[in-house]
Amino acid sequence: MSSENAGNEFTNFPAAEGALSDAHSDESDVRRAVAVHQRDFPYERGEEAHVTRREFCNFLALTSTALFAAAAGFAAKAALDARSTESFTPAKIEGAETLAPGSALNFRYPTADDTAILVRTADGHYYAYGQKCTHLTCPVYYERQRQRLECPCHEGGFDVRTGGVLYGPPPRPLDQIVLEVRGVEVWAVGRKAGEHEHSV
Ligand code: FES
């Protein structure tokens, strides 16, 4: 190799070898041409493959962890829902079909000892809750003007559409009575415990 070509082997390799034209350049020509570069700048393909496998394994581990966490979250939510919602024998709520919008009536569900309140809001929707305030079990009532459920004992207030605590000492929402509207009739079909909003 002439001094003119020294350090320029890669671009001029066919001429440097002098035996092959460009048309006959093949893998062996390339390998010979890059040999100097490989010696000066060693590059381990095995190492590259190892890194790639390690990265792929990390990716798999992260993906598996994320999937596991998501599945565990769904399972926990399903378990919580199953625990907080109780099904009871469905019972027709007498008088619900003639209840005027913006008014309420009392009924008992799921047993004769469990007082409950059914509210029909001004837009015609029905909502029902266990009547026991979640503070110290005083009975709540529907305050028509303010359109909310109120407890007279310590001035607790609840949202009529969610049962959530609006103000006062109650530590959690009212227990919800699950309803089904069947034609013009309204049926109670279950009870859902109010979830804790804040600790006492
Ligand atoms: S019992 Fe209802 S606010 Fe105390």
Side-chain angles (χ1 to χ4, degrees):
M1 183 182 299
S2 69
S3 59
E4 189 178 325
N5 286 332
N8 200 25
E9 298 89 338
F10 187 72
T11 52
N12 294 334
F13 64 85
E17 292 300 313
L20 294 170
S21 68
D22 285 351
H24 293 94
S25 293
D26 58 17
E27 182 179 347
S28 59
D29 296 323
V30 175
R31 287 189 180 283
R32 278 195 298 275
V34 300
V36 174
H37 295 271
Q38 286 180 320
R39 185 196 62 219
D40 293 339
F41 305 99
Y43 182 74
E44 291 294 333
R45 287 197 170 275
E47 197 173 289
E48 179 194 36
H50 177 69
V51 171
T52 301
R53 278 195 299 273
R54 187 171 58 210
E55 289 173 346
F56 182 65
C57 287
N58 286 342
F59 170 76
L60 280 183
L62 283 173
T63 304
S64 301
T65 302
L67 287 174
F68 178 78
F74 280 121
K77 185 178 185 310
L80 183 63
D81 288 347
R83 191 177 56 201
S84 61
T85 304
E86 300 172 278
S87 294
F88 296 98
T89 304
K92 179 175 178 268
I93 302 176
E94 297 296 340
E97 62 270 31
T98 57
L99 188 64
S103 57
L105 62 76
N106 291 114
F107 64 106
R108 293 178 184 273
Y109 190 81
T111 75
D113 296 328
D114 298 307
T115 56
I117 183 168
L118 175 74
V119 177
R120 190 175 191 191
T121 49
D123 58 8
H125 288 102
Y126 292 97
Y127 301 90
Y129 303 95
Q131 202 179 7
K132 290 179 180 173
C133 175
T134 55
H135 181 217
L136 294 174
T137 72
C138 286
V140 298
Y141 66 96
Y142 179 55
E143 211 300 315
R144 186 190 305 244
Q145 298 302 318
R146 290 189 281 268
Q147 298 184 50
R148 58 194 178 209
L149 293 158
E150 295 189 346
C151 176
C153 290
H154 312 100
E155 300 183 358
F158 300 88
D159 188 315
V160 74
R161 295 177 187 277
T162 65
V165 179
L166 294 174
Y167 51 83
R172 63 180 177 84
L174 295 169
D175 290 346
Q176 179 189 359
I177 305 298
V178 183
L179 300 176
E180 272 184 20
V181 176
R182 302 178 180 179
V184 295
E185 298 177 347
V186 180
W187 287 65
V189 299
R191 183 175 61 188
K192 192 172 189 175
E195 294 176 4
H196 288 266
E197 288 188 324
H198 55 264
S199 48
V200 204

